[in-house]
Amino acid sequence: MKIGNFIGGAFVAARSGATIEDVNPATEETIATIPDSNAADVDDAVRAARLAFPAWSGTPAAERSRLLLKLADLIERDLEPLARLESEDSGKALSLARRLDIPRAVANFRFFATAILHDSTEAHVDAGLSLNYTMRQPLGVAGLISPWNLPLYLLSWKIAPAIAAGNSCVAKPSELTPLTANRLAELAGEAGIPAGVVNVVHGYGNKAGRALTSHDDVPMISFTGGTATGAAVATNAAPRFKKLSLELGGKNPNVVFADADLDEAVATSVRSSFWNQGEICLCGSRIFVERSIHDVFVERLVAATRALRVGDPLDPDTDIGALVSEAHMRKVLGYVQVARDEGGTIATGGTRVDRKGYFVEPCVITGLGCDCRVLQEEIFGPVVTVTPFDGEAQSVEFANATRYGLSASVWTRDLGRAHRVAAAIDCGTVWVNCWLVRDLRVPFGGMKESGVGREGGFESLRFFSEAKNVCVKW
Ligand code: TXE
C-alpha cells in the first residue's frame, strides 16, 4: 500500500518524493509506504486549510453537525476494515481495536457533532450601563499531532471538536501508525466535508511535526505524546503565542486498600496494567497495595497475568499483541533489566516471546521502592510494579512520588477515604473502584509533567475557539 498526504481534498505524494516504510510489528513486514513530508508539504496543507476556513467557519452549526454525523456513520460502517488496519499497524489485538479504538472514534464524532447543537454562550448584564455577550469563535487552522498507541481514537478526539467548532485542520498522525488516519481522510471526503477542512500530512515528528508547530498560520496546537516531545512542541509553539494543549505521559498509581473488593481490584488491575500491551497513557503502572493484603494480591495478580494469551493480534483469543516497534520493545526490555539491577524481583514475564514480531510477556515486578527508575520513568509497555504501603497517608505520599500527574485508581469500600485520597492525589482523573470508565463530557488532562490544559466535552470546544466579549452600551 502506498499512501499519500491528504491536502485540499486530494491525495498527493511528498514534494520531495521521499517515503517512510510502515512496518507491521507482529510480522516485521513492511505493509505500506507513507510520505516523508517536510515544511513545504506542511505549508501546502496549511494553505489548503486556510482557504477552506472562511466558508467552513461560516457554515451553520446544524450543517457541520450533519456532516460530522455522516462521517461517524461511515466509520461505523467500516468498523471491521478499520479495526484490522489499526491492528496490523500497531500490533494491538484486533478484538481490542473492534471493541475500543474504532467505536470510540465513532463516539467522538457523534459527541462533538451534537455538542455544538447544545452549546451556549454567556451574557453579562450591568443594568443601566452595559450588556456584554460572549462570542466563541473558531480561530483558523488547528495543528493536531497524535501518537501511535490509540491512533484513530486519539486523532478523532482532536479532529472532531476542532472542525465541529468551525476550524479547519492539519493533522499529523504518528509515522508508526498512519493507516487509519489515511482512511479517515477518504471517509471525510465521502461524508461531504468540504475539501481543505481536514488535511492529513504524514511524516516524522521532528520534521513534519516540527514544521506544523512552528507554522505562523497555525494559531493552535493540540498534541498527545511523550513528555519530552511535549516540551519540544511547547518550545516551538510558545514564543509564537499559539494556543497549546498538551496531553503527555503518565506513571499512574493504582492504590489498593485492604478493604477493597479484591476480585474486582485484581481483575481490573490486570486490564489497567496490560490492556493494549500497557501502551495507554492511563495505564496504572505503579500498583500500591496495603501491606496486609500485599502478598495475596501479588499472588492473584501474577496468576491472572500468566493466564493472558500473548500472540497473533488477529487471533480472537489473543489478549496481548505486539509492541509497536522494535525500538520500543528494546526500551521496554531495557527497563526490565533496570528493575533487576535495582534489586527488584521479576515475579512473572518480562522476556521477549520466541517468535517473529515484537512480543513481550506481561511483567509484574515486586520489591522496588518509589525512588527506583522503574517507578519514576514512563515505560509504556506491559510492565507493572507492586509495592506495599502502610496507611492512608503513605498511600498518598507514594501515589504523588512522581513528576507525572495524569490519572489514578483507588480501591476501597470506605467512602470517606475514597473522597479524601481522590482529593489528595495530584492528577487530572481519579477512578474509584474502576479504571478507564470514560464519559466524554468530563474534563480530561494532566497535572505536573503530564500536560497542560484540559480537553473533553465543552473543554475541547473552548480550546478550539477564542472567547470574545462584545460590550453594548445600555
Ligand atoms: O511519542 P512522541 P513516541 C510516550 C511513551 C513513549 C514515548 C515516545 O512513553 O514511549 O512517548 O513515543 C510527533 N515536533 N507516549 O516517540 O515522539 C510524532 O511524530 C512535533 C505517551 O511515539 O511523543 C507523533 O506524531 N511533533 C503518549 C507524536 O509527536 C513531534 C502516547 C507523538 O510522538 C515531534 C505515545 C516534534 N519535535 C507515546 N517529535 C500518551 N501520553 O498517550 C515527535 N512528534
Side-chain angles (χ1 to χ4, degrees):
M1 197 185 330
K2 189 171 173 146
I3 70 175
N5 290 329
F6 188 66
I7 297 180
F11 287 96
V12 292
R15 276 178 179 257
S16 69
T19 57
I20 301 171
E21 292 199 344
D22 179 27
V23 172
N24 177 338
T27 62
E28 303 182 35
E29 280 159 14
T30 298
I31 49 175
T33 60
I34 66 168
D36 176 4
S37 308
N38 61 27
D41 304 299
V42 170
D43 203 39
D44 289 343
V46 172
R47 199 168 314 112
R50 285 191 70 195
L51 269 175
F53 176 67
W56 181 247
S57 57
T59 301
E63 175 63 4
R64 294 201 303 268
S65 172
R66 190 186 69 76
L67 293 171
L68 265 69
L69 288 172
K70 179 90 193 349
L71 177 54
D73 289 346
L74 296 177
I75 299 170
E76 196 167 51
R77 180 197 71 189
D78 288 359
L79 190 144
E80 192 55 34
L82 281 165
R84 206 180 162 101
L85 279 182
E86 206 71 299
S87 170
E88 289 174 351
D89 220 5
S90 68
K92 72 176 68 202
L94 175 60
S95 58
L96 188 67
R98 269 188 198 133
R99 202 160 76 239
L100 177 72
D101 295 73
I102 313 305
R104 177 57 66 81
V106 175
N108 285 338
F109 278 104
R110 290 208 174 122
F111 179 85
F112 289 107
T114 48
I116 54 173
L117 302 178
H118 303 278
D119 203 2
S120 59
T121 61
E122 311 85 57
H124 299 86
V125 181
D126 194 352
L129 191 64
S130 64
L131 159 68
N132 293 271
Y133 62 91
T134 307
M135 298 182 74
R136 296 198 187 270
Q137 297 177 304
L139 282 85
V141 182
L144 311 174
I145 300 179
S146 54
W148 45 259
N149 58 330
L150 299 165
L152 192 64
Y153 175 132
L154 288 174
L155 188 65
S156 56
W157 171 248
K158 297 182 186 307
I159 291 185
I163 67 173
N167 304 283
S168 52
C169 70
V170 176
K172 211 298 282 171
S174 170
E175 60 275 25
L176 296 173
T177 53
L179 298 184
T180 49
N182 177 61
R183 188 75 190 113
L184 181 70
E186 279 176 350
L187 294 178
E190 188 180 339
I193 293 176
V197 172
V198 174
N199 303 276
V200 180
V201 175
H202 296 279
Y204 292 116
N206 61 11
K207 206 178 192 183
R210 185 196 297 263
L212 187 57
T213 59
S214 335
H215 202 292
D216 287 334
D217 294 327
V218 178
M220 63 201 134
I221 298 286
S222 172
F223 169 86
T224 300
T227 293
T229 319
V233 167
T235 303
N236 254 341
R240 295 175 167 88
F241 307 108
K242 295 179 189 301
K243 280 190 94 172
L244 200 53
S245 170
L246 300 173
E247 290 187 9
L248 310 177
K251 192 72 190 172
N252 310 304
N254 179 11
V255 181
V256 186
F257 285 94
D259 68 345
D261 178 332
L262 201 55
D263 291 342
E264 275 276 326
V266 170
T268 305
S269 295
V270 172
R271 281 197 305 124
S272 66
S273 301
F274 303 123
W275 240 27
N276 205 45
Q277 302 74 243
E279 296 167 327
I280 301 182
C281 53
L282 301 166
C283 278
S285 52
R286 293 181 302 143
I287 305 178
F288 298 113
V289 184
E290 200 158 19
R291 193 174 300 277
S292 62
I293 59 159
H294 173 269
D295 291 353
V296 62
F297 183 93
V298 169
E299 196 180 301
R300 292 182 59 174
L301 180 70
V302 166
T305 302
R306 288 192 178 134
L308 294 172
R309 284 157 306 213
V310 185
D312 181 0
L314 301 181
D315 182 335
D317 290 333
T318 290
D319 298 304
I320 299 192
L323 297 186
V324 73
S325 67
E326 182 175 5
H328 189 55
M329 177 192 69
R330 299 218 174 279
K331 174 184 150 181
V332 170
L333 292 173
Y335 273 108
V336 177
Q337 187 54 44
V338 170
R340 281 194 199 94
D341 298 343
E342 288 182 317
T345 302
I346 312 299
T348 187
T351 49
R352 184 175 183 180
V353 178
D354 185 18
R355 57 170 288 165
K356 215 170 169 52
Y358 312 127
F359 296 87
V360 171
E361 294 284 358
C363 179
V364 177
I365 300 168
T366 59
L368 291 177
C370 289
D371 291 342
C372 292
R373 276 184 65 198
V374 174
L375 275 86
Q376 287 295 321
E377 298 172 22
E378 188 183 35
I379 300 172
F380 216 61
V383 179
V384 290
T385 56
V386 189
T387 306
F389 68 85
D390 297 296
E392 193 176 309
Q394 194 174 58
S395 77
V396 172
E397 180 193 326
F398 284 7
N400 284 337
T402 161
R403 59 198 181 93
Y404 293 104
L406 192 57
S407 70
S409 284
V410 178
W411 294 89
T412 179
R413 288 182 165 113
D414 178 335
L415 194 56
R417 175 157 63 196
H419 288 302
R420 284 192 302 276
V421 173
I425 297 179
D426 301 327
C427 66
T429 298
V430 180
W431 281 290
V432 176
N433 297 331
C434 60
W435 175 72
L436 206 61
V437 176
R438 290 281 289 121
D439 179 328
L440 297 183
R441 292 171 300 178
V442 306
F444 179 84
M447 290 171 68
K448 302 197 281 188
E449 293 190 20
S450 288
V452 179
R454 290 291 178 273
E455 295 188 14
F458 289 112
E459 300 274 353
S460 291
L461 294 177
R462 298 281 175 274
F463 175 73
F464 287 111
S465 59
E466 196 82 278
K468 177 191 284 177
N469 185 63
V470 179
C471 176
V472 183
K473 192 171 179 301
W474 190 265

